[in-house]
Amino acid sequence: MLAALVAASLAHAGDTREDVIVVSATRAAEARGVSAVPVAVIGADDIEMTGAQHVSELLNRAPGVHIHRGNGVEHLTAIRSPVLSAGAGAGSFLYLEDGIALRAPAFANINGLFEAADELVSRVEIIRGPGGAVYGSNALHGLVNLITSDPALAQTRAEIEAGSYGRVRLTAAASGATRIGDGFIGITVRSEDGWRDNASLLRAGLQARLDWGEGATRWSARTTLIHLEQETATFVNGFRAYRDVAASRQNANPEAFRDARALRVSLHADHALSERWNLSGAVYARSNDMDFRLHFLPSRALEEAGHDSLGFQSAVHFENASTRFSAGLDGEWTRGHLIEDQTLPSFGAFPQGIHYDYEVEALTGAVFVQGRHRVTGRLDIEGGARLETTRFDYTNNTDDGAIGRFLRLPDRSDSFTTFAPHAGLVWRFSDEARGFVRLARGVRAPQSDELYRLQPGQEIDGIQAETLDSLEAGLRLSRADGLALELTAFTMVKRNVFFRDADGINVTDGRTTHEGVEIEGVWPVTGTLTLSGALTYAIHNYDFDRPVAQAFEVIERGNRVDTAPEWLGNLRARWQPVEALTLEAEWLHVGAYFADAANEAVYDGHDLFHLRGVVRVREGWEVFGSIRNLTDTRYAERADFAFGGYRYFPGEPRTFSLGVRVRG
């Protein structure tokens, strides 16, 4: 079917349609198709139609994206990458809200999207590959930018939804003019019993925005608050254990939990200096804290961690008929802490009491420049670079030295400086077709826990920032009637890859390669039927040798990186036979992948089918529902091979949900 999208796009001709406006590529509004940066957009209509019970349902619609759903709100991310875990999983992807990171880069979380108010935002923009000059550390493999709702749109909305396994969701939002400006406020609460034992969830979000200003200056104050209480179900063990429904529902760690809170506030400003020059910027503060049972360790220790930040973004912009240029200065101060406490009696290498108790203060500063120039009527050239430095000051609040399997470093300071350039070309072959090529570097300074949460025998003095060099080229086709296609090929090399091997030893000089092709398309087949989808084929390889004592995890050059499907696919058919009824059928394909670094263990992949529908019963009233996993497929959200055996996060069986939406 995606081949049909390609053929249809190449066969038709017509007027140019207006491009979708995006902000993620340059931190300023521009048409999606004018830049060489590949930006996938998930709009308000898709967000509402999906009614995602987990953010993976939404993001996996985009090409090159593969979000592994864990329990509750937990997840692991892949964007033009394998599904990464630990520090790499936290630090290789940047999660943003209106261009500001949800967390400080050195204090990221592999489950970081649970701190996003995804039910309330107006759209999501996803950059695949390095993020460009306006983004610093963590925009390595890609970024996700959640855009808050425009308060100038006068509307109200209230929803209640109930479904399988005790799921209930309440969402309400209102926006419009007030006496002091245009305002938006939204709240969402989600509760579920969980389809597995001891796996309940309560997540609440509040988001507000106020825009105002006169003359040349516009202001916008924004805030988001997230509260999470989650009882966590963990891996099920044994070869293809996910096929056994009774075994899949069991929870080997009923004591596991994750409680978290996140608060973000920001003030954005835009001031027009003249017709061609303007200033923009933001000041912001964030506070995150989380209590987390380390259920995956024998110690079952309790982790208490969090951080507070103050930061700013600033830029000056110039634009005329042929040139667009920006230069800026960003800065951020963060203070974070981590305590790990074992309450179980001492055993083996796991002593009772405090394992770690430290604080880290981080100061980051960056300058960037970027621009685009129309060389001819058909050719644009663009480029930019970002220079960023981060200093860490670490303070150990307990005794220095090794205790059991834990190493507490003495107080120290560390600094990392990164340089991330990019350049691109965009050719306009016609009003409907554009080609592009882009060369870019992504960077990732180490996470604070990679630096200071160590085990005996591990060293950090030789660690360097990870770099990823990317070359991509593609073709965009767009018609006035809505038919659109984007085809992109990419090749990337990642150096200074940091991870812990099967022996638990730091690897600081790994190297991997990543090559693939992505297709994204929309085809209005008739006035009532639209097909849309994305297809990705990619190969992710280890490019070094790593012998280890654990023979089942020996890495050899040329091995596929584990948890990296070659094929990912998503195809959706939306049918609106009458104005009051909209139906959508979705097919999601995850190809086979290796579950271990030695390429001995394999997960066969899976195919899922979902149905969704909306019925407008009267003016302003809608009934909506969904059937997820229509065929009741037994599958694994995540397959892994570790400690000599298979383990899985089993996927949910068939589920149902039904809700009512009222608009005003």
Side-chain angles (χ1 to χ4, degrees):
M1 190 61 68
L2 282 167
L5 285 174
V6 177
S9 297
L10 293 171
H12 287 75
D15 297 330
T16 302
R17 71 181 180 94
E18 184 178 358
D19 260 313
V20 174
I21 301 300
V22 298
V23 297
S24 295
T26 61
R27 206 194 282 171
E30 64 179 6
R32 177 187 178 191
V34 303
S35 173
V37 178
V39 183
V41 179
I42 301 172
D45 186 52
D46 281 337
I47 293 173
E48 191 172 273
M49 189 69 186
T50 304
Q53 295 178 347
H54 187 280
V55 71
S56 62
E57 295 181 58
L58 196 61
L59 300 188
N60 286 345
R61 291 174 171 237
V65 178
H66 184 204
I67 308 294
H68 266 196
R69 181 177 182 175
N71 181 77
V73 296
E74 294 176 349
H75 65 88
L76 296 175
T77 298
I79 303 176
R80 283 193 183 171
S81 71
V83 174
L84 301 174
S85 59
S92 296
F93 313 101
L94 192 58
Y95 306 130
L96 308 160
E97 181 178 83
D98 291 336
I100 297 174
L102 303 185
R103 282 177 163 248
F107 301 85
N109 188 301
I110 58 174
N111 305 285
L113 284 167
F114 80 75
E115 293 171 336
D118 50 284
E119 296 99 337
L120 298 173
V121 300
S122 64
R123 71 180 187 277
V124 182
E125 298 178 1
I126 305 167
I127 291 180
R128 293 108 62 198
V134 296
Y135 303 107
S137 188
N138 289 34
L140 186 74
H141 278 281
L143 63 87
V144 178
N145 193 9
L146 297 106
I147 310 300
T148 56
S149 295
D150 183 355
L153 301 176
Q155 56 187 2
T156 59
R157 172 173 60 98
E159 299 179 7
I160 181 170
E161 180 185 28
S164 304
Y165 306 112
R167 288 196 171 100
V168 178
R169 177 178 62 86
L170 301 172
T171 301
S175 60
T178 72
R179 285 182 291 180
I180 56 175
D182 296 324
F184 168 86
I185 186 167
I187 58 172
T188 182
V189 179
R190 181 184 296 277
S191 175
E192 63 181 65
D193 298 332
W195 82 279
R196 301 180 61 195
D197 298 338
N198 301 289
S200 62
L201 172 71
L202 174 64
R203 181 176 180 265
L206 168 69
Q207 192 165 80
R209 175 173 168 177
L210 180 66
D211 292 3
W212 75 98
E214 293 183 3
T217 305
R218 299 294 301 174
W219 300 88
S220 180
R222 309 172 192 187
T223 185
T224 300
L225 176 65
I226 298 293
H227 177 83
L228 172 69
E229 298 176 14
Q230 175 182 299
E231 304 300 316
T232 302
T234 58
F235 284 109
V236 296
N237 297 303
F239 181 57
R240 293 179 175 171
Y242 60 88
R243 295 188 177 182
D244 186 326
V245 176
S248 295
R249 298 200 64 172
Q250 295 176 2
N251 181 5
N253 300 101
E255 78 285 356
F257 73 95
R258 181 189 297 270
D259 293 341
R261 295 143 296 275
L263 172 65
R264 299 182 294 277
V265 294
S266 60
L267 177 63
H268 302 247
D270 190 277
H271 176 73
L273 296 170
S274 67
E275 184 178 346
R276 295 181 177 180
W277 291 90
N278 80 290
L279 298 173
S280 67
V283 293
Y284 59 89
R286 70 168 76 87
S287 181
N288 308 67
D289 68 90
M290 182 173 65
D291 301 330
F292 174 47
R293 181 70 66 187
L294 301 175
H295 54 80
F296 46 82
L297 295 177
S299 66
R300 305 292 189 267
L302 176 65
E303 175 190 301
E304 300 175 15
H307 69 277
D308 302 302
S309 302
L310 296 172
F312 71 89
Q313 297 177 343
S314 63
V316 57
H317 309 277
F318 169 82
E319 184 172 6
N320 63 20
S322 60
T323 302
R324 186 169 185 164
F325 171 82
S326 299
L329 175 67
D330 299 341
E332 182 172 296
W333 167 88
T334 300
R335 175 174 289 166
H337 70 276
L338 183 142
I339 300 173
E340 182 181 319
D341 184 12
Q342 176 178 320
T343 57
L344 294 177
S346 300
F347 63 95
F350 297 90
Q352 186 177 37
I354 298 295
H355 296 162
Y356 301 103
D357 181 356
Y358 63 76
E359 298 176 356
V360 178
E361 190 169 306
L363 186 63
T364 299
V367 293
F368 70 88
V369 294
Q370 66 176 15
R372 181 182 306 116
H373 178 68
R374 178 156 295 177
V375 181
T376 70
R378 296 288 185 181
L379 175 64
D380 289 357
I381 184 170
E382 63 183 55
R386 182 183 184 92
L387 180 66
E388 180 172 296
T389 185
T390 300
R391 175 184 170 89
F392 298 104
D393 290 312
Y394 157 86
T395 302
N396 181 29
N397 296 324
T398 187
D399 295 333
D400 297 341
I403 174 172
R405 60 169 283 173
F406 309 99
L407 176 62
R408 295 97 157 247
L409 296 178
D411 297 355
R412 60 180 289 154
S413 297
D414 298 279
S415 296
F416 297 89
T417 299
T418 59
F419 181 67
H422 69 94
L425 299 172
V426 179
W427 293 272
R428 287 178 296 281
F429 301 118
S430 68
D431 289 341
E432 297 177 336
R434 298 182 184 185
F436 63 92
V437 61
R438 180 175 184 247
L439 180 64
R441 166 166 287 189
V443 294
R444 177 178 89 82
Q447 297 294 294
S448 58
D449 60 354
E450 291 178 311
L451 293 172
Y452 307 121
R453 196 175 189 173
L454 302 179
Q455 299 177 25
Q458 295 179 340
E459 298 181 358
I460 62 172
D461 289 336
I463 189 172
Q464 301 181 51
E466 286 188 10
T467 62
L468 183 143
D469 293 316
S470 169
L471 174 63
E472 60 190 308
L475 177 68
R476 298 184 181 120
L477 300 167
S478 179
R479 280 176 39 89
D481 61 3
L483 191 148
L485 172 76
E486 181 169 301
L487 172 66
T488 308
F490 65 88
T491 180
M492 307 188 301
V493 178
K494 186 163 63 171
R495 299 174 176 86
N496 304 322
V497 176
F498 180 91
F499 68 98
R500 293 179 182 174
D501 65 18
D503 290 338
I505 303 301
N506 285 358
V507 178
T508 61
D509 59 351
R511 176 182 164 114
T512 57
T513 62
H514 313 265
E515 299 175 337
V517 178
E518 301 163 344
I519 304 174
E520 180 182 20
V522 179
W523 181 16
V525 181
T526 69
T528 60
L529 176 64
T530 299
L531 298 180
S532 58
L535 179 68
T536 303
Y537 175 77
I539 300 294
H540 307 277
N541 285 336
Y542 289 109
D543 196 27
F544 69 104
D545 297 316
R546 182 68 178 180
V548 292
Q550 302 289 340
F552 53 83
E553 288 283 2
V554 171
I555 297 174
E556 296 181 354
R557 188 184 305 272
N559 280 9
R560 298 290 174 86
V561 181
D562 39 302
T563 329
E566 290 185 10
W567 289 98
L568 296 171
N570 181 285
L571 180 64
R572 303 177 300 279
R574 187 172 295 187
W575 184 45
Q576 191 175 15
V578 295
E579 184 177 355
L581 175 65
T582 303
L583 300 173
E584 182 180 85
E586 179 182 19
W587 166 49
L588 178 70
H589 174 72
V590 176
Y593 58 82
F594 291 109
D596 68 328
N599 292 180
E600 298 292 337
V602 177
Y603 173 65
D604 295 330
H606 59 262
D607 294 276
L608 300 178
F609 298 89
H610 310 306
L611 291 179
R612 304 180 181 93
V614 179
V615 180
R616 295 155 189 84
V617 295
R618 55 177 292 185
E619 183 67 26
W621 288 76
E622 299 173 345
V623 175
F624 59 94
S626 65
I627 306 174
R628 293 171 170 83
N629 192 3
L630 178 67
T631 57
D632 204 22
T633 298
R634 304 290 184 259
Y635 73 102
E637 289 280 2
R638 171 170 169 76
D640 187 38
F641 189 89
F643 311 109
Y646 284 90
R647 58 182 187 173
Y648 306 92
F649 272 114
E652 285 188 352
R654 182 168 49 234
T655 63
F656 303 87
S657 65
L658 186 67
V660 176
R661 181 182 298 119
V662 182
R663 303 181 191 274

